[in-house]
Amino acid sequence: MIWKSTAGIGITAILAALGHAGAAGQAAPSIDHPVLELRQYKLVSGKTAAFVSLFEAKFVESHEAVGIRLIGQFRDHDRPDRFTWLREFSSMTARGKALNDFYFGSVWQANRGVANPMLDDNDNVLLLRPARPGAGFAPTAPRPKPGAAHGVVIVMIEYLWKDPNQAFSGFFLDRVAPALRSAGLPVLGSYVAEEQPNNFARLPVRQGEKVLVWFTRAESLQSYDLMMKRLQRTTAWRTDIAPGLKDFRERDPQVLRLDPTLDRRCADAVARTRRCTALDRTAHFCRWDCPLEADRSASRTSQGHLLETGK
């Protein structure tokens, strides 16, 4: 469904870097916990570049202006007409207000007629909360080293027999995540379905699903595959983790292999200077050392960027 006066669209790129905290034990979520939207869009064939360009030109700052934290936007490595993006809200209450402000605001109203015709299907949306307090994306990430590579982001959607809060969240955070981290694949965030009802009904979301969604990053798809193969050959994985995952899973997980988009402004800076090599922090994964960085307001950096290059 495409709602003609509001339709979700994506945001700035997601790269690599550090991620979750995660206290021991399974605590009941607070009403005021952060919520995350994982939005997977099917675009009209051949419109991906135009959609990304429109989003980066018109919708990044307008999201931030109403208090929405933009986590990342990506092309799908395996499906060229797909676009995946993430946005975060401090609470469900904040979500309702921010979405109302954005979609009834002047920027979206002025540009929806261009955006909507490029959307074939934009209803594949998971509304999520951290799997336990502190297990979501970090509020900030350190400045990456100059010259770091873009990298790829891997999203794993685990489909489970039971509510993940019954046992799987603890199994994943306490046993699977440490193994992944030791193999060089840090878990940047892990999330389960939000139980509170959708408070912006004009944008449908998938609710009531028994899922756990986790994110990691690697320098390349080849690097990710190599690290996973090495991990899967270890005794701990073969004798403990793999059987546990098989027991919890209802079916094979959905794996999204995502390539961060490059903010248009930073791409222009690259063409002008030929010296930008990492991503700029204001656009959350644009170019770190490009000339745009000098023009950024310090206050905007407090919003953080979750998956930047480097460790």
PDB file of all heavy atoms in Angstrom, residues 81-111:
ATOM      1  N   ASP A  81      16.409  -3.535  -7.084  1.00  0.00           N
ATOM      2  CA  ASP A  81      15.259  -2.635  -6.970  1.00  0.00           C
ATOM      3  C   ASP A  81      14.714  -2.579  -5.548  1.00  0.00           C
ATOM      4  O   ASP A  81      13.567  -2.168  -5.334  1.00  0.00           O
ATOM      5  CB  ASP A  81      14.147  -3.065  -7.946  1.00  0.00           C
ATOM      6  CG  ASP A  81      14.568  -2.883  -9.398  1.00  0.00           C
ATOM      7  OD1 ASP A  81      15.316  -1.929  -9.682  1.00  0.00           O
ATOM      8  OD2 ASP A  81      14.165  -3.698 -10.246  1.00  0.00           O
ATOM      9  N   ARG A  82      15.519  -2.967  -4.585  1.00  0.00           N
ATOM     10  CA  ARG A  82      15.122  -2.873  -3.180  1.00  0.00           C
ATOM     11  C   ARG A  82      15.913  -1.774  -2.489  1.00  0.00           C
ATOM     12  O   ARG A  82      17.064  -1.496  -2.827  1.00  0.00           O
ATOM     13  CB  ARG A  82      15.349  -4.204  -2.457  1.00  0.00           C
ATOM     14  CG  ARG A  82      14.551  -5.364  -3.050  1.00  0.00           C
ATOM     15  CD  ARG A  82      13.059  -5.150  -2.942  1.00  0.00           C
ATOM     16  NE  ARG A  82      12.298  -6.199  -3.603  1.00  0.00           N
ATOM     17  CZ  ARG A  82      11.838  -7.288  -2.976  1.00  0.00           C
ATOM     18  NH1 ARG A  82      12.079  -7.446  -1.680  1.00  0.00           N
ATOM     19  NH2 ARG A  82      11.162  -8.201  -3.645  1.00  0.00           N
ATOM     20  N   PHE A  83      15.279  -1.184  -1.510  1.00  0.00           N
ATOM     21  CA  PHE A  83      15.877  -0.101  -0.728  1.00  0.00           C
ATOM     22  C   PHE A  83      15.499  -0.343   0.729  1.00  0.00           C
ATOM     23  O   PHE A  83      14.326  -0.494   1.059  1.00  0.00           O
ATOM     24  CB  PHE A  83      15.328   1.242  -1.215  1.00  0.00           C
ATOM     25  CG  PHE A  83      15.849   2.440  -0.473  1.00  0.00           C
ATOM     26  CD1 PHE A  83      17.074   2.998  -0.795  1.00  0.00           C
ATOM     27  CD2 PHE A  83      15.106   3.033   0.542  1.00  0.00           C
ATOM     28  CE1 PHE A  83      17.550   4.118  -0.122  1.00  0.00           C
ATOM     29  CE2 PHE A  83      15.575   4.144   1.219  1.00  0.00           C
ATOM     30  CZ  PHE A  83      16.794   4.696   0.889  1.00  0.00           C
ATOM     31  N   THR A  84      16.494  -0.415   1.595  1.00  0.00           N
ATOM     32  CA  THR A  84      16.267  -0.695   3.009  1.00  0.00           C
ATOM     33  C   THR A  84      16.785   0.468   3.834  1.00  0.00           C
ATOM     34  O   THR A  84      17.863   0.992   3.557  1.00  0.00           O
ATOM     35  CB  THR A  84      16.989  -1.992   3.435  1.00  0.00           C
ATOM     36  OG1 THR A  84      16.460  -3.087   2.677  1.00  0.00           O
ATOM     37  CG2 THR A  84      16.799  -2.268   4.918  1.00  0.00           C
ATOM     38  N   TRP A  85      16.006   0.862   4.849  1.00  0.00           N
ATOM     39  CA  TRP A  85      16.483   1.948   5.702  1.00  0.00           C
ATOM     40  C   TRP A  85      15.952   1.799   7.112  1.00  0.00           C
ATOM     41  O   TRP A  85      15.024   1.030   7.374  1.00  0.00           O
ATOM     42  CB  TRP A  85      16.166   3.305   5.118  1.00  0.00           C
ATOM     43  CG  TRP A  85      14.727   3.678   4.946  1.00  0.00           C
ATOM     44  CD1 TRP A  85      13.844   3.170   4.047  1.00  0.00           C
ATOM     45  CD2 TRP A  85      14.022   4.682   5.685  1.00  0.00           C
ATOM     46  NE1 TRP A  85      12.631   3.800   4.162  1.00  0.00           N
ATOM     47  CE2 TRP A  85      12.713   4.735   5.156  1.00  0.00           C
ATOM     48  CE3 TRP A  85      14.366   5.558   6.713  1.00  0.00           C
ATOM     49  CZ2 TRP A  85      11.740   5.612   5.634  1.00  0.00           C
ATOM     50  CZ3 TRP A  85      13.404   6.436   7.193  1.00  0.00           C
ATOM     51  CH2 TRP A  85      12.112   6.459   6.659  1.00  0.00           C
ATOM     52  N   LEU A  86      16.594   2.526   8.013  1.00  0.00           N
ATOM     53  CA  LEU A  86      16.313   2.424   9.444  1.00  0.00           C
ATOM     54  C   LEU A  86      16.125   3.811  10.029  1.00  0.00           C
ATOM     55  O   LEU A  86      16.888   4.726   9.732  1.00  0.00           O
ATOM     56  CB  LEU A  86      17.491   1.765  10.174  1.00  0.00           C
ATOM     57  CG  LEU A  86      17.920   0.375   9.704  1.00  0.00           C
ATOM     58  CD1 LEU A  86      19.315   0.072  10.230  1.00  0.00           C
ATOM     59  CD2 LEU A  86      16.937  -0.672  10.183  1.00  0.00           C
ATOM     60  N   ARG A  87      15.109   3.932  10.873  1.00  0.00           N
ATOM     61  CA  ARG A  87      14.962   5.170  11.642  1.00  0.00           C
ATOM     62  C   ARG A  87      14.536   4.815  13.064  1.00  0.00           C
ATOM     63  O   ARG A  87      13.833   3.841  13.296  1.00  0.00           O
ATOM     64  CB  ARG A  87      13.979   6.140  10.986  1.00  0.00           C
ATOM     65  CG  ARG A  87      12.552   5.644  10.858  1.00  0.00           C
ATOM     66  CD  ARG A  87      11.704   6.681  10.122  1.00  0.00           C
ATOM     67  NE  ARG A  87      10.362   6.179   9.850  1.00  0.00           N
ATOM     68  CZ  ARG A  87       9.472   6.797   9.072  1.00  0.00           C
ATOM     69  NH1 ARG A  87       9.791   7.942   8.484  1.00  0.00           N
ATOM     70  NH2 ARG A  87       8.274   6.280   8.864  1.00  0.00           N
ATOM     71  N   GLU A  88      14.981   5.646  14.012  1.00  0.00           N
ATOM     72  CA  GLU A  88      14.792   5.353  15.436  1.00  0.00           C
ATOM     73  C   GLU A  88      14.087   6.522  16.123  1.00  0.00           C
ATOM     74  O   GLU A  88      14.286   7.689  15.777  1.00  0.00           O
ATOM     75  CB  GLU A  88      16.148   5.099  16.087  1.00  0.00           C
ATOM     76  CG  GLU A  88      16.049   4.690  17.550  1.00  0.00           C
ATOM     77  CD  GLU A  88      17.421   4.586  18.194  1.00  0.00           C
ATOM     78  OE1 GLU A  88      18.088   5.628  18.353  1.00  0.00           O
ATOM     79  OE2 GLU A  88      17.817   3.457  18.521  1.00  0.00           O
ATOM     80  N   PHE A  89      13.280   6.168  17.126  1.00  0.00           N
ATOM     81  CA  PHE A  89      12.558   7.138  17.930  1.00  0.00           C
ATOM     82  C   PHE A  89      12.855   6.856  19.395  1.00  0.00           C
ATOM     83  O   PHE A  89      13.069   5.704  19.792  1.00  0.00           O
ATOM     84  CB  PHE A  89      11.054   7.028  17.685  1.00  0.00           C
ATOM     85  CG  PHE A  89      10.672   7.043  16.233  1.00  0.00           C
ATOM     86  CD1 PHE A  89      10.707   5.867  15.480  1.00  0.00           C
ATOM     87  CD2 PHE A  89      10.298   8.216  15.600  1.00  0.00           C
ATOM     88  CE1 PHE A  89      10.369   5.866  14.131  1.00  0.00           C
ATOM     89  CE2 PHE A  89       9.960   8.225  14.256  1.00  0.00           C
ATOM     90  CZ  PHE A  89       9.995   7.049  13.515  1.00  0.00           C
ATOM     91  N   SER A  90      12.833   7.886  20.214  1.00  0.00           N
ATOM     92  CA  SER A  90      13.170   7.690  21.633  1.00  0.00           C
ATOM     93  C   SER A  90      12.111   6.903  22.381  1.00  0.00           C
ATOM     94  O   SER A  90      12.397   6.300  23.424  1.00  0.00           O
ATOM     95  CB  SER A  90      13.393   9.043  22.310  1.00  0.00           C
ATOM     96  OG  SER A  90      12.218   9.844  22.233  1.00  0.00           O
ATOM     97  N   SER A  91      10.882   6.874  21.887  1.00  0.00           N
ATOM     98  CA  SER A  91       9.786   6.133  22.517  1.00  0.00           C
ATOM     99  C   SER A  91       8.644   6.035  21.519  1.00  0.00           C
ATOM    100  O   SER A  91       8.644   6.721  20.478  1.00  0.00           O
ATOM    101  CB  SER A  91       9.310   6.836  23.790  1.00  0.00           C
ATOM    102  OG  SER A  91       8.690   8.079  23.472  1.00  0.00           O
ATOM    103  N   MET A  92       7.635   5.235  21.840  1.00  0.00           N
ATOM    104  CA  MET A  92       6.466   5.165  20.976  1.00  0.00           C
ATOM    105  C   MET A  92       5.714   6.491  20.974  1.00  0.00           C
ATOM    106  O   MET A  92       5.178   6.911  19.942  1.00  0.00           O
ATOM    107  CB  MET A  92       5.558   4.024  21.417  1.00  0.00           C
ATOM    108  CG  MET A  92       6.058   2.642  21.011  1.00  0.00           C
ATOM    109  SD  MET A  92       6.110   2.395  19.212  1.00  0.00           S
ATOM    110  CE  MET A  92       4.347   2.268  18.845  1.00  0.00           C
ATOM    111  N   THR A  93       5.653   7.146  22.101  1.00  0.00           N
ATOM    112  CA  THR A  93       4.989   8.448  22.147  1.00  0.00           C
ATOM    113  C   THR A  93       5.686   9.435  21.225  1.00  0.00           C
ATOM    114  O   THR A  93       5.039  10.159  20.449  1.00  0.00           O
ATOM    115  CB  THR A  93       4.969   8.985  23.583  1.00  0.00           C
ATOM    116  OG1 THR A  93       4.263   8.071  24.422  1.00  0.00           O
ATOM    117  CG2 THR A  93       4.297  10.347  23.651  1.00  0.00           C
ATOM    118  N   ALA A  94       7.017   9.467  21.293  1.00  0.00           N
ATOM    119  CA  ALA A  94       7.783  10.351  20.421  1.00  0.00           C
ATOM    120  C   ALA A  94       7.583   9.976  18.956  1.00  0.00           C
ATOM    121  O   ALA A  94       7.540  10.850  18.075  1.00  0.00           O
ATOM    122  CB  ALA A  94       9.258  10.296  20.791  1.00  0.00           C
ATOM    123  N   ARG A  95       7.459   8.683  18.678  1.00  0.00           N
ATOM    124  CA  ARG A  95       7.242   8.228  17.298  1.00  0.00           C
ATOM    125  C   ARG A  95       5.952   8.808  16.729  1.00  0.00           C
ATOM    126  O   ARG A  95       5.936   9.330  15.611  1.00  0.00           O
ATOM    127  CB  ARG A  95       7.198   6.703  17.250  1.00  0.00           C
ATOM    128  CG  ARG A  95       6.856   6.131  15.878  1.00  0.00           C
ATOM    129  CD  ARG A  95       6.806   4.609  15.913  1.00  0.00           C
ATOM    130  NE  ARG A  95       6.526   4.051  14.593  1.00  0.00           N
ATOM    131  CZ  ARG A  95       5.299   3.747  14.151  1.00  0.00           C
ATOM    132  NH1 ARG A  95       4.243   3.951  14.937  1.00  0.00           N
ATOM    133  NH2 ARG A  95       5.135   3.244  12.936  1.00  0.00           N
ATOM    134  N   GLY A  96       4.866   8.697  17.467  1.00  0.00           N
ATOM    135  CA  GLY A  96       3.602   9.192  16.962  1.00  0.00           C
ATOM    136  C   GLY A  96       3.656  10.663  16.603  1.00  0.00           C
ATOM    137  O   GLY A  96       3.182  11.086  15.535  1.00  0.00           O
ATOM    138  N   LYS A  97       4.250  11.448  17.471  1.00  0.00           N
ATOM    139  CA  LYS A  97       4.336  12.890  17.224  1.00  0.00           C
ATOM    140  C   LYS A  97       5.269  13.195  16.060  1.00  0.00           C
ATOM    141  O   LYS A  97       4.956  14.017  15.185  1.00  0.00           O
ATOM    142  CB  LYS A  97       4.813  13.613  18.475  1.00  0.00           C
ATOM    143  CG  LYS A  97       4.905  15.137  18.298  1.00  0.00           C
ATOM    144  CD  LYS A  97       5.404  15.832  19.542  1.00  0.00           C
ATOM    145  CE  LYS A  97       5.352  17.360  19.363  1.00  0.00           C
ATOM    146  NZ  LYS A  97       6.087  17.825  18.168  1.00  0.00           N
ATOM    147  N   ALA A  98       6.442  12.549  16.043  1.00  0.00           N
ATOM    148  CA  ALA A  98       7.432  12.859  15.009  1.00  0.00           C
ATOM    149  C   ALA A  98       6.927  12.481  13.618  1.00  0.00           C
ATOM    150  O   ALA A  98       7.137  13.222  12.649  1.00  0.00           O
ATOM    151  CB  ALA A  98       8.745  12.142  15.316  1.00  0.00           C
ATOM    152  N   LEU A  99       6.270  11.331  13.491  1.00  0.00           N
ATOM    153  CA  LEU A  99       5.752  10.941  12.186  1.00  0.00           C
ATOM    154  C   LEU A  99       4.642  11.882  11.718  1.00  0.00           C
ATOM    155  O   LEU A  99       4.559  12.229  10.532  1.00  0.00           O
ATOM    156  CB  LEU A  99       5.251   9.498  12.227  1.00  0.00           C
ATOM    157  CG  LEU A  99       6.333   8.427  12.392  1.00  0.00           C
ATOM    158  CD1 LEU A  99       5.718   7.043  12.438  1.00  0.00           C
ATOM    159  CD2 LEU A  99       7.379   8.518  11.291  1.00  0.00           C
ATOM    160  N   ASN A 100       3.808  12.295  12.637  1.00  0.00           N
ATOM    161  CA  ASN A 100       2.778  13.261  12.279  1.00  0.00           C
ATOM    162  C   ASN A 100       3.410  14.570  11.798  1.00  0.00           C
ATOM    163  O   ASN A 100       3.015  15.145  10.778  1.00  0.00           O
ATOM    164  CB  ASN A 100       1.871  13.530  13.473  1.00  0.00           C
ATOM    165  CG  ASN A 100       0.689  14.405  13.115  1.00  0.00           C
ATOM    166  OD1 ASN A 100      -0.302  13.951  12.540  1.00  0.00           O
ATOM    167  ND2 ASN A 100       0.778  15.681  13.452  1.00  0.00           N
ATOM    168  N   ASP A 101       4.435  15.022  12.525  1.00  0.00           N
ATOM    169  CA  ASP A 101       5.103  16.268  12.147  1.00  0.00           C
ATOM    170  C   ASP A 101       5.788  16.147  10.789  1.00  0.00           C
ATOM    171  O   ASP A 101       5.762  17.082   9.978  1.00  0.00           O
ATOM    172  CB  ASP A 101       6.132  16.663  13.201  1.00  0.00           C
ATOM    173  CG  ASP A 101       5.496  17.095  14.513  1.00  0.00           C
ATOM    174  OD1 ASP A 101       4.276  17.361  14.532  1.00  0.00           O
ATOM    175  OD2 ASP A 101       6.220  17.159  15.536  1.00  0.00           O
ATOM    176  N   PHE A 102       6.421  14.987  10.542  1.00  0.00           N
ATOM    177  CA  PHE A 102       7.146  14.830   9.278  1.00  0.00           C
ATOM    178  C   PHE A 102       6.188  14.720   8.093  1.00  0.00           C
ATOM    179  O   PHE A 102       6.316  15.455   7.098  1.00  0.00           O
ATOM    180  CB  PHE A 102       8.051  13.600   9.320  1.00  0.00           C
ATOM    181  CG  PHE A 102       8.751  13.345   8.014  1.00  0.00           C
ATOM    182  CD1 PHE A 102       9.830  14.117   7.632  1.00  0.00           C
ATOM    183  CD2 PHE A 102       8.286  12.368   7.140  1.00  0.00           C
ATOM    184  CE1 PHE A 102      10.465  13.911   6.403  1.00  0.00           C
ATOM    185  CE2 PHE A 102       8.906  12.156   5.910  1.00  0.00           C
ATOM    186  CZ  PHE A 102      10.001  12.933   5.546  1.00  0.00           C
ATOM    187  N   TYR A 103       5.222  13.795   8.177  1.00  0.00           N
ATOM    188  CA  TYR A 103       4.396  13.526   7.010  1.00  0.00           C
ATOM    189  C   TYR A 103       3.363  14.618   6.719  1.00  0.00           C
ATOM    190  O   TYR A 103       2.886  14.731   5.595  1.00  0.00           O
ATOM    191  CB  TYR A 103       3.736  12.160   7.139  1.00  0.00           C
ATOM    192  CG  TYR A 103       4.745  11.053   6.934  1.00  0.00           C
ATOM    193  CD1 TYR A 103       5.151  10.245   7.992  1.00  0.00           C
ATOM    194  CD2 TYR A 103       5.319  10.835   5.688  1.00  0.00           C
ATOM    195  CE1 TYR A 103       6.091   9.252   7.809  1.00  0.00           C
ATOM    196  CE2 TYR A 103       6.260   9.841   5.491  1.00  0.00           C
ATOM    197  CZ  TYR A 103       6.647   9.050   6.553  1.00  0.00           C
ATOM    198  OH  TYR A 103       7.585   8.068   6.365  1.00  0.00           O
ATOM    199  N   PHE A 104       3.020  15.412   7.710  1.00  0.00           N
ATOM    200  CA  PHE A 104       2.149  16.550   7.463  1.00  0.00           C
ATOM    201  C   PHE A 104       2.936  17.850   7.365  1.00  0.00           C
ATOM    202  O   PHE A 104       2.350  18.935   7.271  1.00  0.00           O
ATOM    203  CB  PHE A 104       1.071  16.648   8.538  1.00  0.00           C
ATOM    204  CG  PHE A 104       0.049  15.539   8.425  1.00  0.00           C
ATOM    205  CD1 PHE A 104       0.094  14.448   9.280  1.00  0.00           C
ATOM    206  CD2 PHE A 104      -0.924  15.581   7.448  1.00  0.00           C
ATOM    207  CE1 PHE A 104      -0.832  13.416   9.177  1.00  0.00           C
ATOM    208  CE2 PHE A 104      -1.856  14.552   7.325  1.00  0.00           C
ATOM    209  CZ  PHE A 104      -1.808  13.467   8.192  1.00  0.00           C
ATOM    210  N   GLY A 105       4.269  17.732   7.385  1.00  0.00           N
ATOM    211  CA  GLY A 105       5.125  18.902   7.265  1.00  0.00           C
ATOM    212  C   GLY A 105       5.318  19.325   5.827  1.00  0.00           C
ATOM    213  O   GLY A 105       4.998  18.601   4.875  1.00  0.00           O
ATOM    214  N   SER A 106       5.888  20.491   5.654  1.00  0.00           N
ATOM    215  CA  SER A 106       5.982  21.094   4.328  1.00  0.00           C
ATOM    216  C   SER A 106       6.898  20.340   3.372  1.00  0.00           C
ATOM    217  O   SER A 106       6.618  20.270   2.165  1.00  0.00           O
ATOM    218  CB  SER A 106       6.456  22.547   4.466  1.00  0.00           C
ATOM    219  OG  SER A 106       7.747  22.601   5.089  1.00  0.00           O
ATOM    220  N   VAL A 107       7.990  19.742   3.884  1.00  0.00           N
ATOM    221  CA  VAL A 107       8.946  19.091   2.979  1.00  0.00           C
ATOM    222  C   VAL A 107       8.323  17.850   2.342  1.00  0.00           C
ATOM    223  O   VAL A 107       8.382  17.664   1.116  1.00  0.00           O
ATOM    224  CB  VAL A 107      10.251  18.741   3.722  1.00  0.00           C
ATOM    225  CG1 VAL A 107      11.197  17.973   2.794  1.00  0.00           C
ATOM    226  CG2 VAL A 107      10.932  20.003   4.230  1.00  0.00           C
ATOM    227  N   TRP A 108       7.731  16.966   3.164  1.00  0.00           N
ATOM    228  CA  TRP A 108       7.105  15.776   2.586  1.00  0.00           C
ATOM    229  C   TRP A 108       5.928  16.151   1.696  1.00  0.00           C
ATOM    230  O   TRP A 108       5.756  15.619   0.601  1.00  0.00           O
ATOM    231  CB  TRP A 108       6.658  14.818   3.672  1.00  0.00           C
ATOM    232  CG  TRP A 108       5.871  13.676   3.101  1.00  0.00           C
ATOM    233  CD1 TRP A 108       4.536  13.452   3.213  1.00  0.00           C
ATOM    234  CD2 TRP A 108       6.375  12.610   2.275  1.00  0.00           C
ATOM    235  NE1 TRP A 108       4.162  12.329   2.511  1.00  0.00           N
ATOM    236  CE2 TRP A 108       5.284  11.790   1.938  1.00  0.00           C
ATOM    237  CE3 TRP A 108       7.641  12.288   1.798  1.00  0.00           C
ATOM    238  CZ2 TRP A 108       5.413  10.659   1.139  1.00  0.00           C
ATOM    239  CZ3 TRP A 108       7.777  11.156   1.008  1.00  0.00           C
ATOM    240  CH2 TRP A 108       6.672  10.354   0.686  1.00  0.00           C
ATOM    241  N   GLN A 109       5.124  17.075   2.133  1.00  0.00           N
ATOM    242  CA  GLN A 109       3.964  17.463   1.335  1.00  0.00           C
ATOM    243  C   GLN A 109       4.386  17.999  -0.029  1.00  0.00           C
ATOM    244  O   GLN A 109       3.708  17.775  -1.035  1.00  0.00           O
ATOM    245  CB  GLN A 109       3.144  18.512   2.094  1.00  0.00           C
ATOM    246  CG  GLN A 109       2.476  17.991   3.356  1.00  0.00           C
ATOM    247  CD  GLN A 109       1.391  16.965   3.060  1.00  0.00           C
ATOM    248  OE1 GLN A 109       0.557  17.164   2.190  1.00  0.00           O
ATOM    249  NE2 GLN A 109       1.407  15.871   3.795  1.00  0.00           N
ATOM    250  N   ALA A 110       5.510  18.693  -0.077  1.00  0.00           N
ATOM    251  CA  ALA A 110       5.974  19.262  -1.336  1.00  0.00           C
ATOM    252  C   ALA A 110       6.603  18.228  -2.264  1.00  0.00           C
ATOM    253  O   ALA A 110       6.673  18.450  -3.481  1.00  0.00           O
ATOM    254  CB  ALA A 110       6.981  20.376  -1.060  1.00  0.00           C
ATOM    255  N   ASN A 111       7.060  17.092  -1.720  1.00  0.00           N
ATOM    256  CA  ASN A 111       7.826  16.120  -2.509  1.00  0.00           C
ATOM    257  C   ASN A 111       7.189  14.743  -2.620  1.00  0.00           C
ATOM    258  O   ASN A 111       7.718  13.886  -3.326  1.00  0.00           O
ATOM    259  CB  ASN A 111       9.232  15.980  -1.914  1.00  0.00           C
ATOM    260  CG  ASN A 111      10.065  17.229  -2.085  1.00  0.00           C
ATOM    261  OD1 ASN A 111      10.626  17.477  -3.146  1.00  0.00           O
ATOM    262  ND2 ASN A 111      10.129  18.028  -1.037  1.00  0.00           N
TER     263      ASN A 111
END
